[in-house]
Amino acid sequence: VASVENVTWRHTDGIRYQLPEIVLLFKAALARPKDVRDLQTSWTRMSDTSRAWLREQIARLYPEHPWTPLMETYESAIRAR
């Protein structure tokens, strides 16, 4: 079990929000079209470490997940910049 400090970030207004990679991991269970949009929108805003963590967790939990090739494509686009 992770501590709240490890799975959230605090905005300047003091409100805590879940880290995007944590939210996306839960969304991966259903992988609805709106979840794919969230993945695409969030990908470039996450750190290298966060993106790697999400890729590893999805590969571990859902080896044949449809997001795997999407994440590889998004990552290739980032590296090409």
Side-chain angles (χ1 to χ4, degrees):
V1 175
S3 69
V4 70
E5 289 80 16
N6 289 333
V7 296
T8 61
W9 62 278
R10 188 184 303 267
H11 190 271
T12 55
D13 62 9
I15 297 174
R16 286 194 174 275
Y17 296 92
Q18 282 188 316
L19 294 171
E21 59 271 28
I22 303 294
V23 174
L24 289 167
L25 182 60
F26 281 100
K27 287 176 168 269
L30 297 176
R32 302 165 297 190
K34 69 179 190 172
D35 300 327
V36 174
R37 286 190 301 274
D38 290 344
L39 173 68
Q40 183 179 24
T41 302
S42 301
W43 195 258
T44 58
R45 295 180 175 140
M46 293 190 305
S47 69
D48 293 345
T49 303
S50 296
R51 292 190 314 269
W53 182 87
L54 181 60
R55 283 193 312 272
E56 291 167 9
Q57 297 308 310
I58 288 177
R60 182 178 64 83
L61 295 170
Y62 314 107
E64 302 295 323
H65 199 281
W67 285 8
T68 301
L70 292 175
M71 292 185 292
E72 291 170 6
T73 300
Y74 301 156
E75 197 61 27
S76 293
I78 289 172
R79 283 188 248 121
R81 291 182 183 171

